[in-house]
Amino acid sequence: SPDPARALVGHHVSMRRHPPGPRRSRNPYRWFRPRHGDRLAGLTRAAGEHGPVARLPHGPVWIHLVSDPELVREVLVTRADDFTIGRKLRATRRYLGDGLLGSEGEMHRRQRAVVAPACHRDAVERCVRVIVDRTGSALDAWGDEQRTDLRLEMTRIARDVMAGVAWGEEPGAGPPPALDDLAAPIDQLENATSPAGRIAMRLPTPAVRRARAAAARSRSSVEAVIARRRAAGSEGDDLLGMLLAARDEHGDPLPDALVRDELRTVFLAGQESVSNTMAWTIWLVSAHPEVADAVHREARDVLGEGPLTARRVPLLGSARRAVQEAMRIYPPAWAIGRTATREVGLGGWAIPAGANVLVSPWVTHRDPGLWSDPERFDPNRFAEGGERPDHPFAYFPFGGGPRTCIGSSLAMTEATIVLAMLLARYEVAWAGDAPVPRPQITLRPEAGAPIVARRRPVRAVATAP
């Protein structure tokens, strides 16, 4: 007989309803407090206490937390058509328009097909020169002892790299949007997860006005880039060129507003993923000198042999493994929300139509039943023959299925190169207290990433080919 957990739940299929979980309390939002790691600790505790499918109160609604790797695959891949995006991604439309993050269904599939070539392996290889060039320029401007917020520095580098990916490799091809103009609206997206917050997003408070103004400025700056490209009379082979050359099902070009929204979405996603990944990676590496030394020695040897090309990036294995392990412990996309489009069964439990479903890399990546000593930073887990779970969804920092992060290959390549180049030139020490995770739409360190970088006596320099 068919597995009832994979069947649609209806009147003719007997399933247990209401997965286990805590009862409502006087504070129905207590499982999802936004600051000081309470939300993360609450989710981890709920999975440990109530099992692979847990039902948690969140104000007037319920959140169904799914943490078992096979059930995560059900939600993201096997039964992806039974779910659509969650409230937070849907709310990105308010500030990013109709870009890839907030689109759904057939619209999302068409947009993804247009954007995918710019993120393909061949395109990523062409981006290596841009990554090396922009990273080298940023590090050249540092002194012998540099005190800085690494997250902010990495955001600048990632923004410049995305400018090269989006509309040409040369710095003069067009100014990227200001950092705050893309980042400011992120704070407002937290409100999308509660009914009171969604009302607050519509009120003209100072924070809402600032977010709206920042979104308007970023729209204007990207529209100016599109106008310059159209005036030049050539499309080009970058992301902007691909979007301008794309045609819809009727053979008509994409509206400029949609091209603008796609570019802004790619910019925001590229900045957030790399800057947060680098901040957490440096925090962990700086606390483990043996890992920092291994990355330094390898980077010194590889970068000292000449220009870093796409073909030689795989030689930076220590740097890549450090990034992978950092993304296990501090995944930038710490939670992925979905909404059930119809009644489904997961793990023997009935999930009603319209239910909020949450899969969390943070929770699954820290499951002691899957990972040995999960709080320990050990990049060797990702070495060949390393001790890690076999299931592909025991580790999913970029999501999975038809909505897998489209820029995952570019993000991993960029983070690997930046880490290698940084540690080849500098000894890096954390200059503040232990960072507190702030789980918003991405996982940021609450107080940034303060570091002291001291130039090494022997300087290894990577140059663009």
Side-chain angles (χ1 to χ4, degrees):
S1 61
D3 179 1
R6 292 176 175 272
L8 293 180
V9 178
H11 298 294
H12 305 292
V13 180
S14 177
M15 298 286 289
R16 295 172 292 171
R17 295 188 177 273
H18 302 326
R23 295 181 178 181
R24 289 190 185 277
S25 68
R26 292 181 179 179
N27 179 8
Y29 291 99
R30 70 187 182 93
W31 292 94
F32 295 90
R33 292 171 182 165
R35 298 173 67 84
H36 306 305
D38 290 350
R39 180 184 308 184
L40 300 169
L43 290 177
T44 304
R45 186 171 68 253
E49 293 177 359
H50 302 293
V53 182
R55 184 170 176 257
L56 310 177
H58 184 46
V61 302
W62 294 90
I63 302 292
H64 296 77
L65 174 65
V66 177
S67 55
D68 176 77
E70 185 56 35
L71 297 181
V72 170
R73 175 156 56 185
E74 290 268 345
V75 173
L76 298 182
V77 184
T78 312
R79 309 186 66 177
D81 289 342
D82 292 339
F83 299 91
T84 187
I85 58 176
R87 297 179 188 275
K88 197 175 294 186
L89 282 185
R90 198 173 293 119
T92 60
R93 297 173 187 166
R94 183 176 298 274
Y95 298 108
L96 295 175
D98 295 322
L100 200 58
L101 273 181
S103 63
E104 304 176 66
E106 184 58 32
M107 176 69 169
H108 178 81
R109 283 188 281 270
R110 291 201 302 268
Q111 288 176 291
R112 194 175 180 92
V114 172
V115 176
C119 302
H120 190 268
R121 183 183 299 274
D122 293 340
V124 170
E125 290 180 356
R126 292 197 299 272
C127 293
V128 167
R129 184 171 72 86
V130 182
I131 297 169
V132 172
D133 179 63
R134 307 294 165 89
T135 304
S137 296
L139 295 179
D140 285 344
W142 287 15
D144 289 339
E145 184 172 311
Q146 183 77 16
R147 293 180 178 269
T148 187
D149 182 340
L150 184 68
R151 187 183 179 280
L152 184 59
E153 290 288 341
M154 291 302 103
T155 301
R156 292 192 181 102
I157 292 173
R159 179 192 61 163
D160 290 345
V161 169
M162 292 311 301
V165 173
W167 52 68
E169 295 181 352
E170 298 305 320
L179 299 183
D180 289 343
D181 289 349
L182 283 174
I186 291 179
D187 293 336
Q188 290 301 310
L189 295 178
E190 275 306 295
N191 290 326
T193 59
S194 69
R198 289 193 290 278
I199 294 173
M201 292 175 73
R202 294 175 170 84
L203 300 178
T205 62
V208 170
R209 290 200 302 270
R210 285 194 298 270
R212 290 174 179 171
R217 288 193 298 270
S218 75
R219 284 194 298 269
S220 297
S221 63
V222 175
E223 284 170 353
V225 172
I226 296 171
R228 283 194 296 272
R229 180 65 62 88
R230 288 207 183 277
S234 62
E235 292 173 343
D237 60 356
D238 48 26
L239 175 58
L240 174 55
M242 294 175 185
L243 291 171
L244 294 177
R247 296 295 181 267
D248 63 19
E249 63 272 24
H250 304 295
D252 297 325
L254 301 181
D256 277 3
L258 182 57
V259 174
R260 174 202 66 203
D261 293 344
E262 294 291 8
L263 290 173
R264 293 169 66 231
T265 299
V266 167
F267 255 96
L268 179 61
Q271 286 182 192
E272 280 292 304
S273 61
V274 173
S275 62
N276 289 320
T277 294
M278 286 303 304
W280 293 117
T281 301
I282 288 298
W283 153 245
L284 292 166
V285 168
S286 65
H288 295 80
E290 72 284 0
V291 177
D293 289 344
V295 174
H296 162 66
R297 290 194 302 271
E298 177 185 79
R300 178 194 59 199
D301 294 342
V302 173
L303 302 180
E305 292 178 357
L308 182 63
T309 62
R311 187 171 297 180
R312 299 177 63 234
V313 170
L315 298 176
L316 300 172
S318 293
R320 183 179 182 86
R321 290 190 291 273
V323 171
Q324 288 174 303
E325 175 71 343
M327 293 184 75
R328 182 188 67 81
I329 300 177
Y330 294 103
W334 63 277
I336 302 168
R338 292 289 185 266
T339 303
T341 57
R342 50 183 173 178
E343 195 173 39
V344 296
L346 283 175
W349 298 102
I351 309 298
N356 299 293
V357 176
L358 194 72
V359 298
S360 173
W362 172 278
V363 173
T364 302
H365 291 183
R366 291 167 177 260
D367 184 345
L370 297 170
W371 299 89
S372 173
D373 194 6
E375 302 288 336
R376 176 170 51 90
F377 177 65
D378 181 9
N380 287 328
R381 299 180 200 268
F382 293 91
E384 185 175 354
E387 187 178 342
R388 62 181 185 273
D390 292 333
H391 199 290
F393 281 87
Y395 180 75
F396 58 109
F398 294 107
R403 296 191 72 95
T404 301
C405 174
I406 200 167
S408 59
S409 181
L410 175 60
M412 275 302 306
T413 300
E414 183 175 356
T416 298
I417 293 173
V418 171
L419 179 63
M421 292 182 66
L422 175 60
L423 294 187
R425 301 183 185 207
Y426 288 92
E427 294 180 8
V428 180
W430 196 263
D433 296 331
V436 175
R438 185 179 182 184
Q440 294 184 293
I441 194 169
T442 57
L443 189 66
R444 294 177 171 182
E446 177 83 24
I451 65 164
V452 177
R454 296 181 177 86
R455 194 180 297 276
R456 296 182 185 274
V458 178
R459 182 180 176 186
V461 179
T463 57

